[in-house]
């Protein structure tokens, strides 16, 4: 039987956070608020827990979850190399809605799925999420919904979809934006490749103009819109 705690109520906040920490330690799943949408979380270093997360969402290993961290120090421990350009992105957009894909540290003992040696990392801009991450360490987190359904922007939405597959639901109220994070692939900045570029895998909370203001020509060229005669700056309606 899962438990839901309204963390806006001080009387429920402390027991809710305690129960969430204990659930993560037992390899169970927790739903938590973030600055984008609600997420379903598992201990990133517990392969069985991560598999449980994928099963709860109805996803396979070919869709590995991103990892949420409490700060750039943890990011450095998870990736093989942190390019200077990525450091600038972190300074400008963390905590916030930017997920960064980099080659993972090869010595790490974890199994997030079929990652091809990479990891997608983000630092959320949410007090509850950051407090939990400080206590638990990195968490594998995906949007709290069944695959094919809309991402939950309320804890009750997540509970209606995921039910008792999740042990603890932390309710922090409506999601601040309801807009998923932008995901970028920065793997080509590592290892001295001939054409170092950052590729946008999903547009979301951080717009392309904002990314280009930090990365300049390291960001892939903007796509040509259908019917356009030349390449123009693609506008992100959620920026």
């Amino acid at each position: 039987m899962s438990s839901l705690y309204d963390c806006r109520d001080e009387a429920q906040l402390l027991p809710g956070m305690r129960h969430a920490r204990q659930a993560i330690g037992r390899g169970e799943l927790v739903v938590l608020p973030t600055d984008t949408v609600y997420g379903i979380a598992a201990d990133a270093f517990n392969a069985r827990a991560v598999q449980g997360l994928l099963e709860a969402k109805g996803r396979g290993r070919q869709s590995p979850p991103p990892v949420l961290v409490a700060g750039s120090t943890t990011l450095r421990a998870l990736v093989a190399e942190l390019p200077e350009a990525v450091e600038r992105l972190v300074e400008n957009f963390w905590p916030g809605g930017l997920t960064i894909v980099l080659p993972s540290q090869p010595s790490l003992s974890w199994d997030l799925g079929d990652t091809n040696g990479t990891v997608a990392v983000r630092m959320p801009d949410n007090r509850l999420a950051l407090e939990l991450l400080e206590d638990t360490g990195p968490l594998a987190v995906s949007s709290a919904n069944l695959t094919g359904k809309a991402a939950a922007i309320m804890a009750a939405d997540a509970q209606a979809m995921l039910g008792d597959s999740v042990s603890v639901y932390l309710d922090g109220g409506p999601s601040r934006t309801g807009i998923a994070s932008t995901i970028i692939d920065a793997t080509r900045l590592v290892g001295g490749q001939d054409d170092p570029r950052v590729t946008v895998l999903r547009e979301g909370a951080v717009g392309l103009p904002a990314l280009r203001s930090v990365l300049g020509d390291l960001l892939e060229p903007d796509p040509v819109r259908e019917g356009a005669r030349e390449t123009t700056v693609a506008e992100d309606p959620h920026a």
Side-chain angles (χ1 to χ4, degrees):
M1 184 75 177
S2 60
S3 301
L4 185 147
Y5 296 89
D6 186 347
C7 295
R8 295 165 294 182
D9 179 351
E10 289 295 327
Q12 297 187 47
L13 174 60
L14 290 180
M17 294 293 283
R18 181 173 63 251
H19 193 179
R21 289 192 298 269
Q22 292 170 345
I24 292 294
R26 291 192 298 264
E28 298 169 359
L29 304 179
V30 170
V31 160
L32 71 163
T34 77
D35 49 320
T36 55
V37 297
Y38 272 78
I40 178 173
D43 180 355
F45 291 96
N46 184 326
R48 186 174 64 178
V50 174
Q51 182 60 36
L53 183 158
L54 295 174
E55 291 173 357
K57 284 180 60 74
R59 295 173 67 169
R61 288 177 53 83
Q62 71 278 7
S63 301
V67 173
L68 294 190
V69 298
S72 58
T73 300
T74 308
L75 169 66
R76 293 177 185 276
L78 298 182
V79 300
E81 180 182 330
L82 190 62
E84 185 273 337
V86 174
E87 291 184 349
R88 285 187 272 123
L89 290 171
V90 168
E91 290 172 1
N92 280 271
F93 301 118
W94 279 19
L98 181 64
T99 300
I100 304 169
V101 180
L102 283 166
S104 61
Q105 173 60 250
S107 64
L108 291 176
S109 176
W110 63 3
D111 182 5
L112 298 172
D114 299 335
T115 64
N116 296 314
T118 66
V119 62
V121 190
R122 185 169 88 86
M123 179 185 180
D125 188 10
N126 178 277
R127 178 179 61 86
L128 290 177
L130 290 173
E131 287 183 8
L132 188 61
L133 288 163
E134 288 282 2
D135 290 335
T136 64
L139 293 175
V141 179
S142 184
S143 57
N145 58 280
L146 296 174
T147 298
K149 301 292 186 179
I153 59 173
M154 299 281 290
D157 298 335
Q159 190 173 32
M161 286 185 277
L162 300 170
D164 287 341
S165 64
V166 172
S167 294
V168 179
Y169 291 84
L170 298 177
D171 186 351
S175 296
R176 188 187 310 167
T177 68
I179 302 170
S181 69
T182 295
I183 303 176
I184 61 168
D185 182 349
T187 57
R188 286 159 61 188
L189 299 184
V190 175
Q193 299 192 34
D194 292 336
D195 184 25
R197 290 289 180 92
V198 172
T199 302
V200 177
L201 302 180
R202 180 181 74 191
E203 293 185 51
V206 178
L208 296 180
L211 290 173
R212 193 169 299 284
S213 71
V214 175
L215 292 172
D217 291 340
L218 285 176
L219 185 65
E220 67 177 349
D222 296 318
V224 177
R225 295 190 174 196
E226 185 177 351
R229 287 174 294 184
E230 62 181 16
T231 301
T232 57
V233 174
E235 295 183 7
D236 180 356
H238 304 313

